[in-house]
Amino acid sequence: MPYSIMLDAGHGGRDTGAVYNGRQEKDDALRLVLAVGEILQNNGLDVEYTRTTDIYQSPYEKAMEANNAGVDYFVSIHRNSFPTDNVVSGVESLVYDLSGIKLEMAENINEQLESVGFVNLGVQARPNLVVLNRTKMPAVLVEVGFINSNADNTLFDNNFDDIAQAIASGILDTLNEKDSVSAHSVYYVQVGSYRNPAYANRLLNELLEQDYAASLVEEDGFFRVRVGSFRTLEDASEMEQRLKQAGYPTVIIG
């Protein structure tokens, strides 16, 4: 079964994103997302998009669209901006926290973009961004150069195909590395284990209302509430950390 990914072109519609000399972030992001998606599809991934035209969706709507689609990964593409023109240039990626496969993917994407010519500004943790903290799957937001940097815009325009290939290669390299570590493992994050099914169902409904992919399993006389089904221990650890931060007791099982 191939991996699935949702690609998000940042902003859209009435939300132009950053603007510089008439150039709009939403346009660059959409053009690049469609090019990256074509490469990933040609390499066997199931690709979905939050948008393929110039429409507006809130960050929350984008996150929920990814959750409802049940994709394995979420990558959002943007252009960066700085208060003063032509002062800062380079690519950086944002993740919920600096751990797990999302960090590896962000680092791989940055390294590939650096090989095209961008300055690599590294990976930053941004737990306050909705598309990173409300998505249930590993998520990365890539800032592909500064839109108010003439140097970055020249690089973007003159090397567009190479940039699209770099982002796709960063994603594909990460998935290939993941497969080489563990191709068949399945892990779950257990949040509760009860003798009384009423308690288990109460916890199950509470988690489902918060958009966690929760399920209930009966075994050995216990009703166990679990979240997710993860191919690697790293993915399960990401979810465990998120649940712990939300106040739930957790244990990873596999």
Side-chain angles (χ1 to χ4, degrees), residues 7-13 15-37 49 51-55 62 75-81 90 113 118 142-161 163-164 167:
L7 298 179
D8 168 46
H11 308 282
D15 177 11
T16 61
V19 177
Y20 177 65
N21 290 339
R23 184 172 192 145
Q24 298 182 345
E25 179 183 359
K26 66 174 184 177
D27 298 329
D28 284 356
L30 179 58
R31 181 176 166 225
L32 188 52
V33 153
L34 295 176
V36 172
Y49 304 88
R51 68 182 181 99
T52 56
T53 58
D54 186 21
I55 61 171
K62 293 180 176 186
V75 174
S76 184
I77 293 179
H78 291 248
R79 300 292 310 280
N80 219 334
S81 185
L113 287 170
F118 283 106
V142 187
E143 299 273 15
V144 188
F146 284 75
I147 200 168
N148 61 339
S149 162
N150 292 334
D152 278 357
N153 286 338
T154 298
L155 186 61
F156 189 97
D157 294 336
N158 292 347
N159 300 274
F160 180 82
D161 291 340
I163 290 168
I167 296 172

Side-chain angles (χ1 to χ4, degrees), residues 43-57:
N43 280 271
L45 268 67
D46 287 337
V47 180
E48 298 192 40
Y49 304 88
T50 58
R51 68 182 181 99
T52 56
T53 58
D54 186 21
I55 61 171
Y56 173 76
Q57 296 163 295

Side-chain angles (χ1 to χ4, degrees), residues 15-184:
D15 177 11
T16 61
V19 177
Y20 177 65
N21 290 339
R23 184 172 192 145
Q24 298 182 345
E25 179 183 359
K26 66 174 184 177
D27 298 329
D28 284 356
L30 179 58
R31 181 176 166 225
L32 188 52
V33 153
L34 295 176
V36 172
E38 183 176 359
I39 296 170
L40 293 178
Q41 284 180 316
N42 290 339
N43 280 271
L45 268 67
D46 287 337
V47 180
E48 298 192 40
Y49 304 88
T50 58
R51 68 182 181 99
T52 56
T53 58
D54 186 21
I55 61 171
Y56 173 76
Q57 296 163 295
S58 70
Y60 178 80
E61 288 173 325
K62 293 180 176 186
M64 292 306 103
E65 186 174 352
N67 292 345
N68 292 334
V71 294
D72 297 313
Y73 298 93
F74 180 93
V75 174
S76 184
I77 293 179
H78 291 248
R79 300 292 310 280
N80 219 334
S81 185
F82 191 75
T84 306
D85 296 340
N86 294 303
V87 170
V88 180
S89 61
V91 59
E92 69 174 345
S93 291
L94 311 177
V95 292
Y96 178 76
D97 57 43
L98 300 177
S99 68
I101 195 167
K102 63 185 181 298
L103 175 60
E104 294 176 25
M105 184 175 288
E107 290 175 337
N108 286 338
I109 291 171
N110 280 13
E111 288 172 7
Q112 290 286 345
L113 287 170
E114 184 178 9
S115 72
V116 176
F118 283 106
V119 175
N120 187 349
L121 299 176
V123 181
Q124 307 295 328
R126 293 290 178 81
N128 60 319
L129 294 181
V130 172
V131 294
L132 301 180
N133 65 29
R134 296 306 300 268
T135 42
K136 294 190 291 189
M137 67 294 299
V140 178
L141 189 153
V142 187
E143 299 273 15
V144 188
F146 284 75
I147 200 168
N148 61 339
S149 162
N150 292 334
D152 278 357
N153 286 338
T154 298
L155 186 61
F156 189 97
D157 294 336
N158 292 347
N159 300 274
F160 180 82
D161 291 340
D162 291 337
I163 290 168
Q165 182 62 60
I167 296 172
S169 294
I171 295 169
L172 293 168
D173 288 349
T174 307
L175 300 182
N176 289 335
E177 291 167 7
K178 175 181 178 180
D179 284 341
S180 68
V181 172
S182 174
H184 303 292

Side-chain angles (χ1 to χ4, degrees), residues 1-14:
M1 181 178 176
Y3 289 109
S4 59
I5 187 168
M6 181 161 285
L7 298 179
D8 168 46
H11 308 282
R14 66 177 184 271

